[in-house]
């Protein structure tokens, strides 16, 4: 078997939304011999008001389960594939596949099965177009009885199956339950399949082709023309995605991280852009000590004050016990000598604010306790910060010069990030100010 470089290439929905996009994607695959395993999404939107095929299929399922006529909706799905098939002049028929899907919809198939057909059909077309083998994901991706992804079983069986093939197309987004029925990942889950395949074939690289040239240092709706991130570590990415920066499905990091395989985010419409490289670890950093800035609105902080708090055994534990008993997760725990802050998601505590304060007060007998809402958190992330003195002071000086009041600071012990809380009204301006402090373009 071929022992040379192996790449797993995943294409997102917009990269396979039309015959024209299929052509671009196939050209990318065939440009390098190493691109041997391909994971497609279902056809996505061709233009902003367009529909994703997955959504159309879910609609068919909804109509079918309400006992209503879904034929027009299914015909619209079929039309999407027909346009691709005829546009590429492919002599492969999807008639039988559609007949089976229609029959299963009539028979009351599961929602997951219906949703998964978008990837399944796209996989058949793409495999035929590329001349690659087609491997149904239901035969190589497994979930357990509880619907939890079974990474080890999947890895074993998929590795074995794919080792026998020179090249293959494996549809993204779904797998099967022990009874053989189809189960999907959450939306956007083809990214996860790509990562699983990369691990199974021990790929040298997992290329994730989408419609942006990688991650940007900040949200372009907030910062004008932010620079792309060339290189980021898994951990930095995790910090930024926690704060809402999304390009990749969250669960897609784990399998490749486990195997130490880098991910390269690329743009199908601009294949010569290098995109963003996501790597297990990096010693050096780029021109800027900051890798990226991201943030989220909608946080509340409970401020607790008590003299000699630091000497009181179990103080923090009692606070957290209250949250635990109320079934709430906390986001951050910035603390001082006699103060402790508990940052919570406003959605999680909505309507329960007084109850939380009363319960914490009972448990800890503080000198003062209050809750402040309407905060936003901003994470300034950079692996270079640990080696560069003065980064924090630059962040805070810049924000202060802009007249923005910082309500709370939390520097992760890893020194990978600095998190600051500002009032929601200052959110956008704070991000832009911090970005401009580090990037002069
Ligand atoms: N087609 C699925 C979705 O729209 C999965 C994916 O594209 O990754 O969510």
């Amino acid at each position: 078997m071929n022992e040379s470089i192996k790449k797993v290439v995943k294409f997102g929905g917009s990269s396979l939304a039309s015959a024209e996009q299929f052509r671009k994607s196939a050209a990318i695959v065939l440009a390098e011999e190493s691109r041997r395993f391909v994971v497609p999404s279902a056809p996505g939107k061709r233009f902003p008001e367009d529909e994703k095929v997955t959504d159309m299929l879910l609609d068919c399922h909804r109509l079918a389960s309400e006992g209503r006529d879904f034929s027009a909706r299914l015909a619209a799905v079929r039309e999407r594939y027909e346009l691709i098939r005829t546009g590429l002049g492919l002599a492969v028929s999807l008639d039988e596949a559609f007949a089976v899907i229609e029959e299963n919809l009539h028979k009351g198939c599961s929602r997951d099965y219906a949703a998964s057909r978008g990837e399944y059909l796209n996989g058949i077309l793409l495999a035929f177009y590329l001349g690659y083998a087609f491997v149904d994901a239901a035969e190589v991706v497994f979930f357990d009885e509880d619907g939890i992804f079974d990474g080890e079983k999947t890895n074993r069986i998929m590795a074995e199956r794919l080792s026998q093939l020179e090249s293959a197309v494996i549809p993204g987004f779904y797998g099967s339950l022990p009874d053989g029925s189809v189960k999907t990942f959450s939306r956007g889950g083809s990214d996860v399949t790509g990562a699983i395949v990369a691990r199974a074939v021990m790929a040298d690289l997992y290329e994730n082709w989408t419609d942006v040239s990688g991650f940007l240092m900040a949200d372009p709706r907030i910062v004008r023309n932010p620079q792309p991130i060339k290189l980021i570590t898994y951990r930095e990415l995790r910090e930024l995605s926690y704060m809402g920066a999304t390009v990749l499905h969250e669960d897609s990091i784990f399998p490749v991280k486990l195997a130490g395989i880098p991910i390269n985010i690329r743009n199908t419409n601009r294949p010569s852009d290098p995109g963003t490289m996501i790597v297990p670890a990096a010693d050096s950093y780029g021109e800027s000590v900051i890798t990226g800035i991201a943030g989220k609105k909608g946080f509340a902080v409970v401020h607790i004050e008590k003299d000699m708090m630091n000497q009181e055994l179990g103080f923090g534990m009692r606070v957290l016990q209250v949250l635990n008993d109320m079934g709430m997760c906390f986001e951050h725990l910035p603390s001082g000598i006699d103060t402790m802050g508990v940052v919570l998601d406003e959605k999680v505590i909505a309507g329960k604010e007084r109850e939380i304060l009363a319960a914490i007060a009972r448990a800890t007998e503080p000198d003062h306790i209050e809750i402040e809402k309407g905060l936003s958190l901003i994470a300034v992330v950079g692996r270079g910060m640990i080696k560069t003195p003065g980064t924090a002071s630059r962040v805070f000086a810049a924000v202060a010069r802009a007249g923005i009041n910082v309500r709370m600071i939390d520097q992760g012990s890893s020194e990978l990030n600095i998190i600051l809380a500002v009032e929601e009204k200052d959110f956008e301006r704070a991000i832009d100010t911090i970005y401009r402090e580090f990037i002069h373009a």
Side-chain angles (χ1 to χ4, degrees), residues 157-346:
I157 295 177
M158 187 187 283
E160 164 66 24
R161 174 79 175 268
L162 297 184
S163 70
Q164 298 159 16
L165 298 167
E166 199 55 49
S167 57
V169 171
I170 308 102
F173 189 40
Y174 70 94
S176 59
L177 289 163
D179 68 3
S181 62
V182 165
K183 160 103 187 119
T184 60
F185 292 106
S186 57
R187 293 299 301 267
S190 298
D191 282 343
V192 186
T193 311
I196 293 166
V197 175
R199 178 182 170 209
V201 302
M202 292 192 283
D204 298 277
L205 183 65
Y206 170 24
E207 286 181 344
N208 190 299
W209 292 83
T210 170
D211 52 7
V212 290
S213 294
F215 295 102
L216 297 172
M217 286 190 67
D219 186 336
R221 289 167 299 189
I222 298 176
V223 171
R224 208 157 55 89
N225 284 333
Q227 290 190 0
I229 299 176
K230 292 194 190 102
L231 188 106
I232 185 169
T233 63
Y234 290 127
R235 286 189 45 220
E236 289 177 304
L237 180 65
R238 170 98 185 96
E239 302 283 348
L240 289 175
S241 352
Y242 164 75
M243 284 294 180
T246 48
V247 170
L248 263 185
H249 190 293
E250 257 204 319
D251 297 338
S252 60
I253 304 292
F254 187 66
V256 273
K257 190 175 171 195
L258 206 64
I261 300 167
I263 309 175
N264 191 192
I265 310 284
R266 302 283 292 265
N267 189 346
T268 305
N269 303 315
R270 297 173 59 106
S272 50
D273 285 358
T276 299
M277 207 54 165
I278 308 166
V279 296
D283 293 334
S284 61
Y285 54 91
E287 299 101 72
S288 156
V289 65
I290 297 299
T291 304
I293 309 167
K296 259 203 294 205
K297 291 183 179 176
F299 291 99
V301 55
V302 177
H303 296 284
I304 312 164
E305 253 179 67
K306 186 174 187 185
D307 268 349
M308 313 297 274
M309 170 194 287
N310 65 333
Q311 291 180 18
E312 194 178 315
L313 197 66
F315 188 94
M317 188 199 73
R318 283 193 289 281
V319 173
L320 298 186
Q321 188 67 49
V322 169
L323 297 174
N324 186 57
D325 294 347
M326 295 181 77
M328 286 173 188
C329 285
F330 66 90
E331 306 290 327
H332 290 277
L333 277 184
S335 62
I337 300 172
D338 290 331
T339 60
M340 181 169 170
V342 185
V343 181
L344 300 156
D345 185 333
E346 275 186 349

Side-chain angles (χ1 to χ4, degrees), residues 141-151 154 176-178 183 185:
V141 175
F142 302 100
F143 295 83
D144 67 16
E145 297 79 23
D146 301 321
I148 311 278
F149 170 61
D150 188 339
T154 299
S176 59
L177 289 163
K183 160 103 187 119
F185 292 106

